Amino acid sequence: VVRVEAALTCGTDVKTLRRGHPVMIPHVPTVFGHELAGVVTAVGRGAPGAKEGDRIVAANSAPCGRCRLCAAGRPNLCADLLFVNGAYGQYMALPPRLVARNVVPIGPGLTASSAAFAEPLACALLGIERGRVESGMTVAIWGHGPLGCLLALAARQRGAQVVIVGKAGWRLDRVRELGLGTCVDALSVPDMVEHLRGLTGGPGPDVAVDATGRPEVWEGAIDGVGRGGTVVLFGGCAPGTSVRVDTRRAHYEELTLVGAFHHTPAMIRRAVELLESKAIEPSGLLTHRVGLGQVKEALA
């Protein structure tokens, strides 16, 4: 059992329609309260090695370790991925498989509020890994929400130049103040492809990442990536949607389109390492601090 010290709202599974009404996406489980750090308060027989008082980060899932994709080194695609949520409570129980595979101790130098970023940061690290981002590359990220910002931090940590495509407002202002990358207001640019080519001196971005989960933005990322580039389809779109692909360009310019889903135990541990070493510092993304009684208002 873990006493929750910090939990985030940045990855909750809520979409907002253009007219402003929140809707739940019915084809996936609700994932409220899955980004957390806490203190172990009780240990059962299924959790050898854990002890009361340990400060930990707990991921929100655990792969089986036995299926074909786990054996192939892709545990994020596990056929029996066990999900665990519930961090919007004072305490939560963690099952044995999660304790064995995806609970990571944290040191005294890492605050709970920063440690809680480990789960979404691990997802961002997987996305940047899928994009094969290297030092000196230019990475364009569509979306300036929390995950877009974490993708930017992960790309910058690898030595890439970052362009963040968003829309004018307090969020984009905040991102600009934090210096996460060159910020572009998509609504003020008549031709995004040409604009990105101008920013990169002609070739366009080496890697384009969608962090919005909107089909039209997927298309924008595909259109905007440079010749020979990689497009990371990070944001999950609603079921039944589709996108167009310029087949000639995809073929003759050898574009690579890759999905990026969830995280792995290795990425969770890498995220904790980066947070503890301060190589990635996400505290600037925190805008409010509220108690458990104000979770409803925080989500609103």
Side-chain angles (χ1 to χ4, degrees), residues 76-150:
N76 56 311
L77 301 180
C78 174
D80 183 28
L81 198 58
L82 172 68
F83 283 96
V84 179
N85 305 298
Y88 293 163
Q90 188 174 2
Y91 295 89
M92 65 182 295
L94 305 180
R97 190 205 291 184
L98 186 78
V99 176
R101 298 188 185 277
N102 248 350
V103 166
V104 184
I106 56 175
L110 182 61
T111 65
S113 58
S114 289
F117 277 96
E119 191 277 338
L121 176 58
C123 295
L125 293 174
L126 181 69
I128 295 303
E129 181 74 20
R130 293 283 287 152
R132 298 173 295 180
V133 174
E134 298 178 0
S135 179
M137 286 184 170
T138 298
V139 179
I141 299 169
W142 272 256
H144 58 299
L147 266 299
C149 292
L150 290 172

Side-chain angles (χ1 to χ4, degrees), residues 222-223 243-255 257:
I222 295 169
D223 291 342
V243 298
R244 63 166 186 84
V245 176
D246 182 337
T247 54
R248 185 182 187 284
R249 184 163 181 258
H251 174 72
Y252 288 102
E253 297 189 17
E254 290 194 353
L255 302 186
L257 310 183

Side-chain angles (χ1 to χ4, degrees), residues 18-182:
R18 283 198 176 92
R19 64 178 180 271
H21 299 302
V23 294
M24 293 310 302
I25 305 301
H27 75 295
V28 293
T30 303
V31 290
F32 291 128
H34 70 275
E35 302 150 317
L36 72 137
V39 177
V40 177
T41 61
V43 181
R45 286 174 294 180
K51 63 181 184 298
E52 293 182 21
D54 285 350
R55 298 183 68 237
I56 64 164
V57 161
N60 66 322
S61 70
C64 71
R66 300 183 303 274
C67 70
R68 176 180 63 86
L69 286 166
C70 281
R74 304 183 72 180
N76 56 311
L77 301 180
C78 174
D80 183 28
L81 198 58
L82 172 68
F83 283 96
V84 179
N85 305 298
Y88 293 163
Q90 188 174 2
Y91 295 89
M92 65 182 295
L94 305 180
R97 190 205 291 184
L98 186 78
V99 176
R101 298 188 185 277
N102 248 350
V103 166
V104 184
I106 56 175
L110 182 61
T111 65
S113 58
S114 289
F117 277 96
E119 191 277 338
L121 176 58
C123 295
L125 293 174
L126 181 69
I128 295 303
E129 181 74 20
R130 293 283 287 152
R132 298 173 295 180
V133 174
E134 298 178 0
S135 179
M137 286 184 170
T138 298
V139 179
I141 299 169
W142 272 256
H144 58 299
L147 266 299
C149 292
L150 290 172
L151 285 159
L153 287 168
R156 282 166 53 89
Q157 193 274 330
R158 286 203 175 193
Q161 301 296 313
V162 173
V163 177
I164 299 173
V165 180
K167 56 184 179 181
W170 71 268
R171 272 191 173 185
L172 196 61
D173 291 341
R174 176 84 173 223
V175 173
R176 188 176 284 111
E177 290 169 6
L178 292 172
L180 300 186
T182 300

Side-chain angles (χ1 to χ4, degrees), residues 140-144 163-165 192 196 205 208-212 217 220-221 224-225:
I141 299 169
W142 272 256
H144 58 299
V163 177
I164 299 173
V165 180
M192 183 58 68
L196 290 172
V209 186
D210 168 76
T212 70
V217 184
V225 75

Side-chain angles (χ1 to χ4, degrees), residues 178-199:
L178 292 172
L180 300 186
T182 300
C183 294
V184 178
D185 174 12
L187 300 181
S188 68
V189 175
D191 188 330
M192 183 58 68
V193 173
E194 287 303 317
H195 188 77
L196 290 172
R197 287 176 179 169
L199 289 176

